[in-house]
Amino acid sequence: MKQLQVGDRAPDFTAPGVQRGQVAEYALSAYKGKWLVLFFYPADFTFICPTEVVGFSKTAQDFGAEDCAILGVSVDSVDSHRAWADELGGLEYPLVSDTGKKISSAYGVLDEKDQVALRATFIINAAGVICYQVVSHANVGRSVEETLRVVKALRTERLCPSDWKPGDPTGDLGLKY
């Protein structure tokens, strides 16, 4: 399995998922022309994962304002996702079921020992190219605010220093995403 890198085309997939209690098929190709935060997490009904899943839901409008959709992925079933989303009070984006572990494998984030997805975040641009990725230890939750900041920085198509925020000075990068 090739390790994905920034600049690689994001692997396409189609898989069932749930949003607002409704099951549907979700495909990466459906997000062409939009930015996408694709995040993987180990499992439903765990200690850290709900903090991230709810965090992304609370900021879904902020991501939407950046023309950026959100998809959460774990190896749990659609039924598990539905029950968990209900327990969490509903979510503003889909949870995708990767029970066959094909998506996690394609993105290089399947923990072979435990057979769950690692805690990983990919930001994919409107052309379907990976612009950012981070994988962390399962015991440390990701920062939703930092993910949103990075989306905003990438969308400027400019050089953005550490801790950059919208309105701060940027440099000329000369790249177009």
Side-chain angles (χ1 to χ4, degrees):
M1 162 176 65
K2 177 189 179 274
Q3 177 68 36
L4 290 176
Q5 309 232 347
V6 168
D8 286 348
R9 180 151 301 282
D12 199 8
F13 61 84
T14 301
V18 64
Q19 182 178 16
R20 295 185 183 97
Q22 300 300 309
V23 176
E25 289 290 312
Y26 292 91
L28 180 73
S29 59
Y31 295 91
K32 187 174 183 183
K34 285 189 79 105
W35 286 71
L36 177 68
V37 170
L38 179 66
F39 76 95
F40 293 83
Y41 63 96
D44 296 343
F45 299 100
T46 58
F47 182 73
I48 296 171
C49 297
T51 63
E52 300 171 324
V53 169
V54 170
F56 276 115
S57 189
K58 287 179 179 176
T59 57
Q61 277 191 307
D62 298 323
F63 282 95
E66 295 299 321
D67 197 29
C68 184
I70 303 166
L71 283 179
V73 181
S74 81
V75 300
D76 295 296
S77 69
V78 169
D79 290 335
S80 177
H81 284 339
R82 184 180 321 168
W84 194 45
D86 287 348
E87 182 177 294
L88 296 174
L91 300 174
E92 297 299 316
Y93 61 88
L95 293 180
V96 175
S97 179
D98 184 25
T99 56
K101 302 173 179 79
K102 291 179 181 175
I103 305 168
S104 301
S105 292
Y107 280 79
V109 298
L110 180 66
D111 179 331
E112 296 288 341
K113 179 180 169 250
D114 293 331
Q115 291 295 295
V116 296
L118 297 169
R119 196 172 307 287
T121 307
F122 294 86
I123 298 175
I124 302 167
N125 72 12
V129 174
I130 297 169
C131 294
Y132 175 88
Q133 65 181 16
V134 64
V135 181
S136 63
H137 195 280
N139 70 341
V140 178
R142 77 196 94 214
S143 169
V144 174
E145 283 184 33
E146 174 63 3
T147 304
L148 179 59
R149 185 193 76 83
V150 172
V151 167
K152 290 177 178 184
L154 288 167
R155 288 181 43 85
T156 69
E157 300 180 354
R158 301 188 53 84
L159 294 169
C160 297
S162 173
D163 298 325
W164 174 89
K165 290 182 178 53
D168 289 354
T170 60
D172 185 14
L173 186 57
L175 295 177
K176 296 292 179 201
Y177 288 107

